[in-house]
């Protein structure tokens, strides 16, 4: 996969893209990441990329032309078809594991980081971006951190990037549930013992325990996820036990949607 990022602050990306799993994925050629400085596409010698908002008000607005020129440099007219050009902004559709999977299926992505109070609306009106994504209902100082979040979530899904092929599949959210609890040595730490079943060597019993604990966590912390999760008949039986055990009120939750 190739990812191009247009940003006013390319240096912000250094840490996250040069460590750990993303670093290895780049070294192995599984992903190519190109950072483009929007200031390089400014029209004047002062490299100005923002201006006062028409209509007045606080803050500055990112000018359309430097972004447009940057996008035209990244993607020639002939390359544009089918490549998602994603603007990061709090007005976008919400980023989820589903969206990460959707993006991971593309051979190329272009990410545009907004800054200041926003970006001139005509960048959208001119059809220069094909998608707009928010990483959550809060406002950050710019689209750089969201772009890094998206790169991280997408790159770890690319074939061969994670060491163990099962780890991406078993993660939180992969089947729409939160993850089960994990333990490692020692078996007793500061008086706290690891659940017996995990030491039993009985793989079926371990898998059952893990599924139940994933369901328990989801029920207690994020019951909203249960509506869309892939639940088997056995899961539903376990859930009704958990509802009793935990004394929670699930009224209507599983029937909706
Ligand atoms: N830019 C500022 N806040 C953002 C958010 N929550 N998601 C994406 N881009 C942003």
């Amino acid at each position: 996969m190739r990812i191009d990022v247009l940003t006013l602050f390319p240096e912000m990306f250094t840490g996250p893209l040069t460590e750990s799993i993303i670093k290895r994925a780049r070294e192995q050629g599984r992903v190519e990441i190109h950072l483009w400085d929007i200031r390089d596409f400014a029209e004047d010698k002062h490299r100005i990329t923002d201006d006062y908002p028409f209509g007045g008000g606080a803050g500055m607005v990112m000018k359309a032309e430097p972004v447009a020129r940057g996008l035209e440099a990244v993607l020639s007219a002939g390359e544009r078809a089918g490549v998602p050009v994603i603007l990061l902004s709090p007005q976008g559709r919400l980023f989820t594991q589903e969206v990460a999977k959707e993006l991971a299926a593309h051979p190329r992505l272009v990410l545009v980081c907004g800054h200041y109070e926003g970006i001139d609306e005509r960048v959208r009106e001119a059809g220069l971006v094909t998608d707009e994504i928010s990483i959550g209902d809060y406002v950050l100082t710019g689209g750089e951190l969201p772009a890094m979040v998206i790169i991280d979530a997408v790159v770890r899904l690319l074939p061969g990037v994670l060491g163990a092929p099962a780890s991406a599949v078993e993660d939180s959210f992969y089947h729409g549930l939160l993850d089960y609890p994990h333990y490692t040595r020692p078996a007793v730490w500061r008086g706290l013992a690891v659940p017996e079943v995990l030491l039993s060597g009985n793989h079926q019993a371990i898998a059952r325990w893990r599924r139940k604990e994933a369901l328990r966590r989801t029920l207690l912390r994020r019951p909203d996820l249960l509506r869309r999760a892939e639940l088997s008949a056995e899961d539903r039986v376990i859930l009704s036990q958990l509802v009793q055990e935990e004394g929670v009120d699930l009224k209507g939750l599983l029937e909706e949607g």
Side-chain angles (χ1 to χ4, degrees):
M1 167 181 271
R2 170 175 170 153
I3 304 175
D4 291 275
V5 184
L6 273 98
T7 168
L8 288 168
F9 302 100
E11 284 177 17
M12 280 182 75
F13 289 79
T14 309
L17 300 188
T18 58
E19 298 284 349
S20 183
I21 291 169
I22 307 298
K23 174 188 180 181
R24 200 179 58 216
R26 296 176 80 187
E27 286 170 354
Q28 293 174 339
R30 300 189 195 279
V31 64
E32 216 182 279
I33 301 172
H34 298 265
L35 297 169
W36 303 76
D37 188 338
I38 296 171
R39 267 179 254 275
D40 290 341
F41 303 99
E43 299 164 272
D44 65 312
K45 70 172 193 302
H46 302 294
R47 310 198 338 134
I48 290 173
T49 54
D50 62 333
D51 207 339
Y52 296 100
F54 277 122
M60 300 294 273
V61 176
M62 270 172 80
K63 290 164 73 66
E65 185 62 16
V67 174
R69 288 204 205 178
L71 284 172
E72 283 153 10
V74 169
L75 278 181
S76 67
E79 288 174 323
R80 223 161 288 164
V83 178
V85 178
I86 303 163
L87 176 64
L88 286 320
S89 98
Q91 284 82 45
R93 64 181 173 130
L94 205 56
F95 189 62
T96 62
Q97 190 64 23
E98 284 304 306
V99 178
K101 274 194 268 179
E102 172 199 319
L103 299 181
H106 287 271
R108 276 195 82 168
L109 297 176
V110 179
L111 304 177
V112 183
C113 305
H115 235 276
Y116 309 116
E117 288 307 300
I119 199 158
D120 192 308
E121 187 65 20
R122 290 167 293 184
V123 167
R124 298 180 181 92
E125 290 170 7
L128 289 168
V129 297
T130 64
D131 198 355
E132 192 164 342
I133 291 180
S134 163
I135 62 161
D137 290 336
Y138 39 81
V139 181
L140 299 166
T141 56
E144 283 74 17
L145 290 167
M148 290 181 238
V149 166
I150 289 173
I151 291 171
D152 193 276
V154 168
V155 170
R156 64 186 290 289
L157 296 178
L158 299 178
V161 167
L162 290 188
S167 23
V169 176
E170 287 176 5
D171 272 343
S172 273
F173 293 121
Y174 213 89
H175 297 289
L177 295 182
L178 298 185
D179 205 0
Y180 52 78
H182 298 263
Y183 299 88
T184 185
R185 287 187 291 186
V188 180
W189 174 76
R190 297 195 180 183
L192 299 170
V194 167
E196 276 294 326
V197 62
L198 299 180
L199 310 176
S200 69
N202 179 341
H203 296 295
Q204 245 187 336
I206 292 170
R208 264 200 311 276
W209 181 86
R210 286 180 166 164
R211 188 71 186 171
K212 181 169 182 179
E213 295 312 311
L215 286 163
R216 186 195 308 274
R217 277 198 166 167
T218 312
L219 174 67
L220 295 178
R221 299 182 188 183
R222 292 291 307 279
D224 56 298
L225 294 176
L226 291 172
R227 229 178 283 147
R228 277 176 296 127
E230 299 160 26
L231 297 178
S232 66
E234 194 187 340
D235 288 335
R236 286 169 193 279
V237 173
I238 297 171
L239 259 180
S240 38
Q241 280 168 9
L242 285 170
V243 166
Q244 301 258 302
E245 275 176 37
E246 300 289 345
V248 289
D249 184 8
L250 254 196
K251 218 182 287 156
L253 197 72
L254 296 179
E255 284 73 42
E256 284 175 52

